[in-house]
Amino acid sequence: MKFLNKGACGAWSVGAWRVWSVRALNHAPTLRRSPRSTLLSIPLLLALAVATSLLLAGCGRSHDSSSAAQEKRLYTCGMHPQVVQDKPGNCPICGMKLTPIRKASVERGSVERGERGERKIKYYKSTMNPGEVKPEPGKDSMGMDMVPVYEEEAAAGESSAIAIDSVTIQNMGIRTATVTRGPLRRIIRTIGTIDYDETALADVTTKFKGWIEKLHANATGTLVMRGDPLFEIYSPELYSAEVEYVLSLGDSIPASATNTPARDSVQTSAFTKLKYFDVSEDQISELERTRQPRKTIRVNAPIDGFVIEKMAVAGQMVDPGMKLYRLADLGTVWVQAQIYEQDLAYIKLGQEATVTLSYFPDREFRGRVTYVYPNVDEKTRTARVRMEFHNPGYFLKPGMFAQVQVVSELEPSALLVPDMSILRSGEKNTVFVALDGGKFEPRIVTLGPQVENDNYQVLSGLSEGDRIVTSGQFMLDSESQLREAIQKMLKPQLPGVTDTSSWAARAQHAAHSESPLPIDGKGVRGEVAAVKYICPMPDHVSIEYDLPAKCPLCGMALVPVSQATLQKLQPGGKLLHYTCPMPEHSDVRSDKPGKCPKCGMTLIPVLEPPPLPTNAVPTRTSLRADGAAEVLYTCPMASHAEVVTDKPGKCPMCDMDLVATSTVSHGKIAEENWRKLHGP
């Protein structure tokens, strides 16, 4: 006997079992040969019939459920995914044709239901109005049947991650990149103008009246060295000084007066007059040797350089102080670069700068930043930055335009993400992280400065190795915002209930970040508040910083302070003392900067507040019966402002040290609570 036709249900097919049964019945008469064999064949036939019926019933149920799963199909709108129907048609909102939901998800859901059992319905929602839900089935306000939402679907909808199949990812053109570390390097490119070194300029003038007899440097651009003759000039004053000096040398003085103090005094006076007229020493030595005054005196170049201005002409009368030549040493030149004000933070004195010229594109000249001018041009919104370059060969010519490049390396290693991966919405910056299984999670990131290759530094929200979306994230953002809007409609915010989702998201992002979330100095039990960083030097407290760093003015480490502490600081006032930024340690006071003896934090200065108006009445203290001021104490937590007493101690709600009401921002509220209980 042969068994053929193996079926899809993992056993023999229905046809094979029927053939086998018929053959068994056909052979049944052969069993009647003896009464004993007949009795044995009856139970055998009954068992065979029962097994066949059970097998046929099981295969029928399997095929029926499989066909039902294959036949079940839902339809949705590509523009309005909240519209879901069990039959084809048009979208009631935009009129577009409904498209079937992918079959893979239905089959996957059927398999999961088969493994876990029946799913539990959480609520029913409207296909037209996502915010309309009911605990029981029925029709929505538009008369359409409401569809069930299962617990796993609701949990997936509440998650911030978005699940997309691989085909849709390919159609959306989603590309990803990996968050890497690299040097935080900013390249600033600008245009500069080559200028003379102002410290290497020299004007040639005379200190006497005269007439130019002869010119030696008679053209602009002439290269002269120190001591080279420029021109010769005749001056009656200078000639008289020469004659006086020759007479003081002793030829016309009586011998009796030789080597007397009077002769030495006359000689010194005549020599000094020539020196004050800028007569060179070699000309004075020649005058001593020849003892003959000369009609003209030669004027020499004071420095090495080029003649960039020439006003002297042969035969010209010269007045004292008249500029005749201007010389410039081009061995060192300046480059005046224009830097936009947003890039000034990356310019430091001593930084290396490079310059390229249009007529020498294959050469680079290296120099240094030597000065940043203290003003900004009101029209161009740029500041001048001076750079010095050595100029061998005089290739850098004043007046040229040059392409300037300054490389500023802020940190040797930092987290970097490409600019194209960031979605900006004004108040926050969002990056989508690609997770396993085709899921994408939006994360809010804190960005640092922009660096080379269109990258940004990430201060919080990501970690090294995360895969982020660089293309197609706008579609993901639309889906994420739609899901967020639906969740807000499904879960409206009740009055008086604090929404902790934002803080939970920040905490989740901080878990992926290398830098912790800022706190306000109150510990983990404190309230989440904006934190600023200031320099502990009293002269620098007027500058607030958003991120921890070192003070660019004095190099001291910045300390974190809360908004309540900032309100007590009055820049420009008189320094009273230094105190701890922790509210519970406000009793710590010191005359000089240092560390808090209780918590080790850097002390911050407290300045004298401005005087109160004449009509202002202080409310920070109460008056006892004897007229003395009474200090009130409250909890440093603003949510515990109802805790107020006239004695220091511990807060009964959080066990924190009570502080004076004058040291916290909610002190007025605490004092008002005290007056309500004890009267004015």
Side-chain angles (χ1 to χ4, degrees), residues 475-488:
M475 297 184 181
L476 297 177
D477 185 54
S478 301
E479 177 67 19
S480 176
Q481 292 183 8
L482 176 61
R483 181 173 299 185
E484 182 181 0
I486 293 175
Q487 291 302 319
K488 288 182 178 179

Side-chain angles (χ1 to χ4, degrees), residues 57-71:
C59 291
R61 286 194 301 268
S62 176
H63 284 287
D64 293 341
S65 61
S66 177
S67 61
Q70 294 176 359
E71 294 175 359

Side-chain angles (χ1 to χ4, degrees), residues 443-563:
R443 292 186 188 171
I444 298 176
V445 296
T446 303
L447 300 179
Q450 184 180 11
V451 295
E452 59 180 346
N453 300 326
D454 289 334
N455 290 332
Y456 275 87
Q457 181 191 16
V458 177
L459 301 177
S460 64
L462 295 174
S463 58
E464 185 178 2
D466 288 344
R467 289 192 305 118
I468 58 177
V469 179
T470 58
S471 177
Q473 63 269 41
F474 292 100
M475 297 184 181
L476 297 177
D477 185 54
S478 301
E479 177 67 19
S480 176
Q481 292 183 8
L482 176 61
R483 181 173 299 185
E484 182 181 0
I486 293 175
Q487 291 302 319
K488 288 182 178 179
M489 289 187 289
L490 294 177
K491 295 182 179 180
Q493 186 68 28
L494 298 178
V497 178
T498 303
D499 183 12
T500 59
S501 59
S502 60
W503 169 247
R506 291 182 61 195
Q508 180 183 5
H509 298 155
H512 299 282
S513 171
E514 296 187 352
S515 59
L517 289 175
I519 57 175
D520 59 351
K522 299 179 182 179
V524 296
R525 296 175 294 182
E527 299 176 350
V528 179
V531 175
K532 297 292 184 179
Y533 296 84
I534 63 172
C535 177
M537 292 296 293
D539 296 339
H540 305 160
V541 296
S542 60
I543 304 177
E544 301 176 5
Y545 302 87
D546 294 333
L547 300 174
K550 290 187 177 181
C551 177
L553 303 178
C554 62
M556 296 185 66
L558 303 179
V559 296
V561 292
S562 62
Q563 292 295 334

Side-chain angles (χ1 to χ4, degrees), residues 330-383:
L330 298 183
T332 301
V333 295
W334 288 357
V335 174
Q336 304 285 1
Q338 304 292 329
I339 304 296
Y340 286 103
E341 51 186 330
Q342 63 265 24
D343 295 331
L344 287 177
Y346 309 108
I347 301 297
K348 306 295 182 184
L349 297 181
Q351 276 182 322
E352 182 175 335
T354 59
V355 160
T356 57
L357 304 175
S358 59
Y359 81 109
F360 276 142
D362 59 337
R363 304 182 188 181
E364 282 190 356
F365 301 87
R366 300 169 58 189
R368 293 286 176 180
V369 176
T370 57
Y371 188 71
V372 179
Y373 288 85
N375 61 310
V376 174
D377 192 303
E378 297 180 356
K379 297 180 179 179
T380 62
R381 309 309 307 168
T382 58

Side-chain angles (χ1 to χ4, degrees), residues 227-274:
D228 289 350
L230 296 177
F231 61 91
E232 295 182 7
I233 186 173
Y234 163 71
S235 172
E237 298 178 37
L238 188 58
Y239 186 80
S240 300
E242 289 184 83
V243 172
E244 182 180 349
Y245 182 67
V246 171
L247 294 176
S248 67
L249 293 178
D251 291 346
S252 59
I253 300 178
S256 59
T258 304
N259 297 329
T260 61
R263 178 180 177 181
D264 294 339
S265 176
V266 171
Q267 184 177 353
T268 302
S269 175
F271 179 82
T272 304
K273 184 181 292 186
L274 291 176

